[in-house]
Amino acid sequence: MAFNTSTVVICLVVYFSIPAVLYLLIPRDPTINPRKRAIVLVLGDIGRSPRMQYHVLSLLETGFLVDFVGYTDTSPLQSIMDNPDVKIHEIKAAENLGLPKGLPFIFVAVVKVLYLTKQLYQVLRRLRNAEYLLVQNPPSLPTMFVCYVFTTFVSRRTRYIIDWHNFGYTVLALKLGSEKNILVQVSKWYERWFCRYAFAHLCVTKAMATVLVRDFRVNAFRIIPLPDRPAIQFQPLSDEKKSNLFSTSPIFQGFNPTTDKLVITSTSYTPDEDLTVLLDALSQYDSCSTVEKPLPKILTVVTGKGPLREKFLKEVSRRSWSNVELRTAWLSAEDYPVVIGAADIGVSLHLSTSGWDLPMKVVDMFGCGVPVLARDFPALSELVVSRRNGLIFNTPEELCKHLIDIFTVPELLRTIRKGAMVECSNRWNETWRITAGPVFHIPNREDLTDIESSDSSDDE
């Protein structure tokens, strides 16, 4: 069959025009940028997710553009708000649905999961083609499934990384009262199944890494323990700044730093922190102070907010103390490190649902050089070492004894304060760059130094 020249030319023009037509007709993804992009996702209040905020700051410092996704009930750090390279994308909490009370738990759970799934997918789809997607776990439902769908079918160039703070199924077990509950078992299977699709896993303790390998069958080479470390805003407070704080802040009205002692704890008022242990210990401390053997007066400041706060305040109102005073406060991200830095001792009541995570509040206290009295659980020894940087307790009696010992034996307080100052020098930025940096293909400082030295010698 013969073709004339004009037909051949037309066919060639049409053939080579196809890519140009497709280029013009198919809209390019507006999120593509010559700089690397990362999505940081937390299905929670971003302002109350310090570790994820630190991830955002570390990524920004290494040249990334960052999309920060989560609830916006509380503002994040001002350094995040003021940075033009980060965009915040709001997810509305399922509690805003306004479902009628009295509905079956399973029905409410399904509706909330579907509501959040739709929002997450819509937000992530707009952010496709990012190099990395860093996700906080828990909660695992529906984030793990949505992230799997997103990185498998929508944005295959995006590498999905899980930052393990705890295990979602253990949190659900605490809420439902038993790990044998069928919903808890399903949650555990779901978490084990969908976590395997992640490119890498960051986790807060070495013990958690062991559990991921042993029970979740995660490849050990894809797990990087990244312990919490204090960020730069948590610093020891000078005597001058303490004095100014005590004289100006209404929290410390009537407090005499010369004779009184300041105890601070922070809480989310959730079931994994039994605040009655603290109240019972303070009551015992108060009764131990007598005319013959007086103990220093204690001001205890409890910071934070959460679902069980009103219940806690009712319990406080039933107590009557003469040598102890307790005040509650909700502090901004800027004020929180300052108030912690003024404390003589910090208290952590965190009792892990899994036993394998660590309380961020202890890290914050160490960052300010404040030693800690911490409630014991399996992984705690990775952070708090008794009589080195703090003391361990299980019961109100033990906590009371520690308070008495610390405030009557100056050498003990000096010893653990010295240990807290050692922890203070170990900061988030350097730890992140060395451990998590390679996951995001960021060379550590030693590698950069080697490269620069090699380049210099070549030039010479």
Side-chain angles (χ1 to χ4, degrees):
M1 184 176 180
F3 294 94
N4 57 38
T5 302
S6 59
T7 302
V8 172
V9 170
I10 291 173
C11 289
L12 289 173
V13 170
V14 171
Y15 177 78
F16 287 110
S17 298
I18 291 175
V21 172
L22 291 175
Y23 180 82
L24 293 173
L25 292 180
I26 298 178
R28 285 171 288 175
D29 193 325
T31 64
I32 291 178
N33 192 292
R35 289 174 60 184
K36 284 186 176 181
R37 289 178 53 247
I39 305 167
V40 177
L41 169 61
V42 47
L43 199 58
D45 187 358
I46 60 175
R48 297 170 65 190
S49 303
R51 182 176 166 100
M52 301 310 287
Q53 293 185 68
Y54 300 163
H55 279 300
V56 169
L57 290 173
S58 294
L59 289 164
L60 290 171
E61 288 172 5
T62 51
F64 273 81
L65 297 172
V66 179
D67 293 290
F68 199 6
V69 182
Y71 304 158
T72 57
D73 301 335
T74 309
S75 298
L77 295 167
Q78 198 63 41
S79 52
I80 292 177
M81 297 286 290
D82 294 340
N83 196 309
D85 289 339
V86 59
K87 293 182 179 179
I88 296 175
H89 305 267
E90 182 183 13
I91 296 290
K92 295 187 180 299
E95 284 69 22
N96 296 333
L97 283 171
L99 296 174
K101 294 184 178 180
L103 293 173
F105 174 80
I106 186 66
F107 176 80
V108 174
V110 169
V111 171
K112 287 183 176 181
V113 166
L114 292 176
Y115 175 73
L116 292 172
T117 299
K118 179 183 177 183
Q119 285 192 85
L120 283 175
Y121 178 78
Q122 289 176 335
V123 170
L124 290 178
R125 192 172 184 277
R126 293 198 302 269
L127 303 177
R128 59 189 178 274
N129 288 330
E131 277 76 13
Y132 300 97
L133 168 59
L134 177 62
V135 183
Q136 174 185 296
N137 187 73
S140 55
L141 192 69
T143 48
M144 280 190 178
F145 171 73
V146 175
C147 291
Y148 158 71
V149 171
F150 173 70
T151 54
T152 304
F153 301 105
V154 179
S155 184
R156 300 188 67 179
R157 75 193 298 261
T158 304
R159 290 181 168 179
Y160 163 36
I161 301 165
I162 300 176
D163 188 33
W164 294 83
H165 297 202
N166 204 341
F167 296 110
Y169 77 92
T170 64
V171 177
L172 182 61
L174 179 65
K175 184 174 183 178
L176 299 180
S178 172
E179 281 199 20
K180 296 181 179 180
N181 187 292
I182 184 63
L183 293 179
V184 175
Q185 295 300 310
V186 170
S187 175
K188 185 176 183 179
W189 170 86
Y190 164 91
E191 204 166 6
R192 290 177 61 181
W193 180 265
F194 283 104
C195 78
R196 69 181 62 185
Y197 295 102
F199 167 71
H201 304 260
L202 306 176
C203 55
V204 295
T205 64
K206 296 176 182 177
M208 186 175 287
T210 300
V211 174
L212 286 172
V213 174
R214 184 188 67 212
D215 298 343
F216 282 50
R217 299 292 186 266
V218 175
N219 188 329
F221 291 103
R222 293 185 176 273
I223 302 174
I224 301 95
L226 175 61
D228 286 323
R229 291 288 181 258
I232 193 65
Q233 67 266 29
F234 292 92
Q235 296 286 345
L237 216 60
S238 67
D239 291 340
E240 182 181 353
K241 288 183 177 179
K242 285 184 182 180
S243 178
N244 182 61
L245 179 68
F246 293 146
S247 62
T248 58
S249 173
I251 298 174
F252 302 109
Q253 186 175 5
F255 176 74
N256 184 349
T258 305
T259 57
D260 302 347
K261 300 299 180 182
L262 178 59
V263 176
I264 288 190
T265 185
S266 57
T267 178
S268 298
Y269 294 102
T270 49
D272 60 350
E273 291 182 322
D274 187 357
L275 292 171
T276 58
V277 173
L278 174 64
L279 297 181
D280 290 344
L282 292 175
S283 294
Q284 292 176 29
Y285 180 93
D286 188 68
S287 64
C288 287
S289 182
T290 63
V291 176
E292 296 78 16
K293 292 184 178 181
L295 295 172
K297 184 178 179 180
I298 288 180
L299 171 61
T300 301
V301 176
V302 180
T303 74
K305 61 182 178 180
L308 300 180
R309 184 174 183 272
E310 292 304 317
K311 181 181 178 181
F312 172 72
L313 293 178
K314 287 181 181 178
E315 181 61 32
V316 172
S317 67
R318 299 191 189 101
R319 310 276 175 153
S320 179
W321 298 314
S322 59
N323 205 42
V324 171
E325 187 174 359
L326 186 145
R327 297 173 185 173
T328 60
W330 169 246
L331 303 171
S332 68
E334 285 70 35
D335 291 338
Y336 177 58
V338 178
V339 173
I340 286 182
D344 293 292
I345 195 78
V347 175
S348 169
L349 297 159
H350 178 81
L351 193 61
S352 170
T353 59
S354 66
W356 310 122
D357 67 328
L358 288 174
M360 190 71 176
K361 62 175 71 68
V362 173
V363 177
D364 297 340
M365 292 168 184
F366 282 163
C368 297
V370 176
V372 176
L373 305 179
R375 193 164 184 187
D376 195 19
F377 59 90
L380 185 66
S381 60
E382 292 190 24
L383 184 61
V384 181
V385 180
S386 185
R387 294 189 172 271
R388 183 183 298 175
N389 52 27
L391 295 170
I392 310 297
F393 68 90
N394 280 302
T395 65
E397 292 75 20
E398 291 176 344
L399 177 54
C400 174
K401 183 179 184 305
H402 290 335
L403 289 171
I404 294 173
D405 290 345
I406 283 172
F407 296 145
T408 58
V409 183
E411 182 59 32
L412 175 59
L413 182 56
R414 280 196 296 268
T415 299
I416 60 177
R417 185 174 285 159
K418 182 179 179 181
M421 290 299 293
V422 171
E423 296 293 334
C424 176
S425 62
N426 194 357
R427 292 285 162 176
W428 169 269
N429 286 347
E430 287 304 313
T431 301
W432 188 92
R433 182 180 283 274
I434 293 169
T435 56
V439 178
F440 297 93
H441 292 87
I442 299 167
N444 62 43
R445 296 194 191 282
E446 288 77 9
D447 293 338
L448 290 173
T449 302
D450 291 342
I451 292 171
E452 290 168 359
S453 300
S454 174
D455 289 344
S456 298
S457 62
D458 289 344
D459 291 340
E460 292 173 1

